[in-house]
Amino acid sequence: MSAPHYKLIISDLDGTLLDDAKNVAPRTVKALKHITEKHSVLMVLASGRASYLIEPTAVQLADATDCYLIAYNGAVGFTMNKDKRRQIFCSALPPADLGRIMDVCTSRGLALNIYLPDKVNMKDTPENRPLAELYSEMTGATYNFVESYDQLKGVTTPKCLIICKTESMCDTLMEEMTTLFPQLSVVKSNCKTPQKELYFVEFLQSGVDKGWALKQICQHLQISLDDTLAFGDAENDLSMLRTAGRSICMANGAQVCKDASHKVSQFTNNEDAVARELEEIFCVPSE
C-alpha cells in the first residue's frame, strides 16, 4: 500500500513510541509533523494506562499532531484534545465480575489495582504498599488505599489488574485467571525501565482489547481498517497488530507479537524505531 492510503496511525506507548526513559524522541515528533501536514494522517495513542497518564505523551507530540486516545487497553476511547477529549466509547467491567476478582485477590494476597477516574485504588497491606509505590514511580499513577476491597464493591471501572513481580508469576496467574474468568478478556501486559520491570494480569469486559478499540475508532472516523498502520511490542498489543491494515513490531517486542506482525523493525524503542519506520513508509525528508 502506498503511503497516501494510510489514514490513521495507532501506536502503543511503553516499549514502542516511548524510550525507556518514557520520552518521545525528537526524531519521532519531526516525522509525525511531516506526515500530519503532508498526508493528513490521524494519530492514535493506545495504552493500558489511564487517560490522564497518556496525556503527557500527547503533550510531547502537540507540536506535531493532535492525538486520539485509547486508554485502559482498549476499554475507553477519546477524541482529540481540540475536541475537549470527549469519550467516543467506554466499556466497563461487570460489577459482579469485579467483586469476584476482588474476593480472589483478597484470599490470595494479590496486589489488585482498581481504576477510578483520578486515582488507582488498592487494599492497604504491607505487601501491597511497595508494589504500589513502584507502580506509581514507573507510571505516575496516584493511589488511594482502602482497608478492604469490600469498600469498592459496586464501583464502575473500565479495568482492574494484578501486579506481578516476575514474568513467571504473571504467566502462571494468566493461566489461572483465564480459567477462573472465561467470560472476561484477560490480558498480559508489562511496564519496564532500564532498572525495573513489572508484569500485569489485566481484566476487561469480554471482547475488549486494543484491536476492538481500533475498530471502534475507525467506525467513528469512517476509516477502513485497511488504511491503518499499527506499532506495538507487547502481548497487550497483539489484537491491535492483528487488526490493523499493516502492523510493525519493535525489535524489542515479544515473539508472539513479532510473529503476528507484517514486519519486525530492525530497531528498538530506544533506537527511534517508530520514527525510522515512518520515515521509510512516508518518505520523510532528512532535513
Side-chain angles (χ1 to χ4, degrees):
M1 186 186 297
S2 60
H5 288 282
Y6 291 112
K7 298 179 180 178
L8 183 147
I9 298 167
I10 182 168
S11 181
D12 169 58
L13 301 191
D14 298 293
T16 304
L17 188 68
L18 303 178
D19 62 23
D20 287 349
K22 307 305 178 187
N23 293 313
V24 179
R27 186 171 180 173
T28 305
V29 176
K30 177 185 174 184
L32 285 171
K33 183 175 179 65
H34 171 85
I35 293 164
T36 301
E37 294 176 351
K38 182 77 172 178
H39 302 285
S40 300
V41 177
L42 299 174
M43 184 68 190
V44 182
L45 303 179
S47 175
R49 301 182 184 195
S51 57
Y52 73 92
L53 296 175
I54 304 174
E55 202 66 56
T57 302
V59 171
Q60 290 188 57
L61 292 173
D63 289 340
T65 183
D66 199 351
C67 301
Y68 289 84
L69 306 184
I70 290 174
Y72 300 112
N73 267 329
V76 188
F78 296 89
T79 61
M80 291 180 173
N81 186 53
K82 70 177 184 180
D83 296 322
K84 304 186 185 302
R85 288 277 186 253
R86 291 180 293 102
Q87 278 191 7
I88 299 172
F89 58 86
C90 180
S91 176
L93 272 173
D97 291 323
L98 177 60
R100 282 191 59 216
I101 295 167
M102 292 179 188
D103 291 341
V104 169
C105 290
T106 297
S107 66
R108 297 183 57 174
L110 298 170
L112 180 68
N113 278 356
I114 299 171
Y115 294 82
L116 295 180
D118 57 347
K119 289 186 179 180
V120 183
N121 291 258
M122 179 181 281
K123 183 179 179 181
D124 192 4
T125 70
E127 295 77 20
N128 286 354
R129 278 273 181 172
L131 291 173
E133 290 171 2
L134 181 55
Y135 183 88
S136 179
E137 177 186 336
M138 296 175 73
T139 66
T142 303
Y143 271 88
N144 176 60
F145 292 97
V146 296
E147 291 185 7
S148 168
Y149 286 123
D150 289 343
Q151 296 172 241
L152 298 171
K153 287 187 175 178
V155 301
T156 299
T157 182
K159 79 165 188 178
C160 61
L161 65 79
I162 299 169
I163 301 178
C164 304
K165 296 179 182 178
T166 65
E167 187 168 16
S168 60
M169 175 186 175
C170 184
D171 289 341
T172 298
L173 283 175
M174 276 292 299
E175 292 185 15
E176 295 177 5
M177 296 303 162
T178 300
T179 301
L180 281 174
F181 299 95
Q183 73 278 23
L184 300 177
S185 283
V186 184
V187 180
K188 178 183 176 182
S189 64
N190 65 69
C191 186
K192 299 180 181 180
T193 69
Q195 295 81 28
K196 302 167 185 176
E197 58 186 37
L198 287 173
Y199 295 86
F200 314 118
V201 177
E202 306 203 14
F203 301 87
L204 301 105
Q205 190 177 98
S206 177
V208 174
D209 51 32
K210 289 185 181 181
W212 176 84
L214 175 56
K215 292 177 183 178
Q216 305 309 305
I217 289 282
C218 285
Q219 182 177 352
H220 173 76
L221 296 171
Q222 297 185 317
I223 291 175
S224 170
L225 288 169
D226 291 337
D227 295 329
T228 63
L229 173 64
F231 295 93
D233 75 297
E235 285 90 339
N236 62 323
D237 300 321
L238 190 57
S239 62
M240 178 180 75
L241 294 170
R242 287 172 171 165
T243 300
R246 183 164 179 78
S247 55
I248 300 176
C249 182
M250 306 294 96
N252 54 286
Q255 188 60 48
V256 66
C257 294
K258 292 178 178 179
D259 294 341
S261 297
H262 295 97
K263 179 182 179 181
V264 178
S265 178
Q266 300 177 51
F267 307 101
T268 70
N269 64 307
N270 289 318
E271 298 170 322
D272 302 343
V274 172
R276 291 172 185 267
E277 299 298 335
L278 290 175
E279 289 166 358
E280 179 179 343
I281 294 169
F282 290 93
C283 301
V284 177
S286 57
E287 297 183 358

